[in-house]
Amino acid sequence: MSTPGFVRRDRSTIRSNSCLRDDPCTLHIRALRPGMVKPSRLVRPVTQIPERSLVHQEGLPKLPVPPLKQTCERYLAALEPIVSEEELEYTRKLVKEFLTGGVGERLQKGLERRARKTDNWVDIRELSTCSSLTQRRLLCRFAAKLIAGVLEFKKMIDTDTLPIEYLSGKPLCMDQYYQILSSCRVPGPKRDTVVNHTMGTTPVTHITVVHNFQFFVLDVYHSDGTPLTVDQIYMQLEKIWNSSLQTNKEPIGILTSQHRNTWGKAYNNLIKDKTNKESVRAIQKSIFTVCLDAPMPRTSDELYWSRVAAQMLHGGGARWNSGNRWFDKTLQFIVGEDGTSGLVYEHAPAEGPPIVFLIDFVVGCMSRTEIVRTPMVPLPMPMKLRFNITPEVKRDIERAKQNMNIMVHDLDVKVLMFSDFGRKLPQQHNLSPDGFVQMALQLAYFRMYNICCSTYESASLRMFKYGRTDSIRATTTGSFKFVQAMQDPAKQNTERLALLQAAVQTHKENTYNAIHGQAIDRHLLGLKMLSIVELTSMPEIFMDTSFAVAQHYNLSTSQVGSKTDCVMSFGPMVPDGYGVCYNPMDEHINIAITAFNSCEETNAAKFSRAVEDALLDMRALLEDTAMVKQ
Ligand code: COA
């Protein structure tokens, strides 16, 4: 498959030698709906006295390398529900050889050496996305308030007053927050780099705004260092809007949607020209980008959120807003003329949770912001960035358009706004909401395919310095027994409930292990990568069918919780898989499901119905058994 989809492009092409993991997560947000602010689980209230985050950073423990024997045992246990007995027996032999033959021990020692020498032995890159509002004036007002909100957030970064987050009572690494402003991914000849301009000698004072494919530099600070007021930003946005009304411009930004190798070459063609180079650099350096999007084609109410999710992910194709982006830019806030809003983010510098914290914070600011009429100080016209379109660049743009359209058509997106219950229901039944949703995904998959698959769930490793994520393997022997029981008419509900409780409990234990640095996937990946460097041949354990099955995540999932009622989305990890991002709110659950249209076996809408049915059947199970107990 040449072009499996937008999201895979980004995850499979981060060319970093030190990158031990290439995680999928992209996310988008549905609606910036002010007024729905509830305390976050991860975030300490802002009113608490902030701690010096740099001092805090130094005190964080280093991510441990788990014991080799433990990872091997857990790996075999993870394989049990997803491979045949024959394959498992063979893998058991390989694992034994790996453990006792010296190879595993040698690689383990190598990782431990790396762990001693570096701050974090797993080095990571990822990618991502997020998504509501109205006509031009309202749009510019909305965008101005949004920009002012992000500048408020920036103040916390600049003054080091960001509240430290906690997970299970432990303080988290805050480094990712310092990587998301004034940063951009830059294509390189061998590998991409993420360049962060916050540390430069002269502070960056501008953002970039793109409208009708035309980019502008908007200075958002006065010369005395104070930020522009909402009113002033609004006036500047109006100027930008009015000077970019032509709709026949080359969609230069679409170049950034290309496969990284292709974009790397096109990038060199583009920046050969001095003007182009300066324009690109202005985008890369900018604090963030705001995309003022053209209206998208209307859809039925039922498909509305799925359409918005897709717009946030890829812009809808060359005809629509895909050229109204610079996909390498870490943060791009999208405000559509038709009332949509959200953001798309480049995943390399950060995971979803810091981005969601930013969204929650900005939404909070926007709901408080009152437009104060400020004295009319003359502000310079925002500078339009010029691009010289040589025949070579024109050719690259045409190719990028074609490729983007293929990817857009291939991505199947379905947003399920599940409104029957939220995270409170499992909690009332003494079940972890995350485990409950994961078991619903297991049940849905089993009902559709009659087998279990390898399932990835992101777990935060931020208890550790520069920690990113590891995988919670949600498919377990326990989950397999539960889904089988649900499909077996001979089983009683009391037995099904007991199996559900056991499976959720195992999921909780696996989550605990993962967030405490004791999961298996980063460890196995680290051992494999080191074997490439240090050994003449790859240990058989990594060439085994079981290993390939275990790495083939048909379900790539992630919980990204927020205070704001929003939807996040990302693409599948494998051509025949699903990407599932869910946000369990108290009384409802927002779920975005993606798949590839080029795969006949997958269908996002069908899977969405199966998930809905699974959630409802599991509620019925809880209620039925609760009635029996009474
Ligand atoms: N009975 C009642 N309540 C329970 C319970 C039970 N048996 N088990 C858990 N709960 C409560 C929890 O205490 C928690 O309450 P709180 O919100 O008041 O703290 C709430 O239910 C949610 O817990 P749970 O659903 O178990 O999940 P979690 O919040 O621990 O999150 C992960 C689990 C894996 C999502 C989280 O650890 C994590 O790693 N998040 C980051 C993931 C990430 O990085 N994603 C983005 C990748 S781009």
Side-chain angles (χ1 to χ4, degrees), residues 346-358:
E346 204 291 310
H347 211 306
E351 245 60 68
I355 308 296
V356 166
F357 175 85
L358 163 66

Side-chain angles (χ1 to χ4, degrees), residues 405-420:
N405 288 343
I406 293 169
M407 291 193 288
V408 164
H409 283 116
D410 196 23
L411 193 68
D412 179 14
V413 185
K414 173 70 191 168
V415 170
L416 167 63
M417 310 297 273
F418 180 79
S419 56
D420 289 74

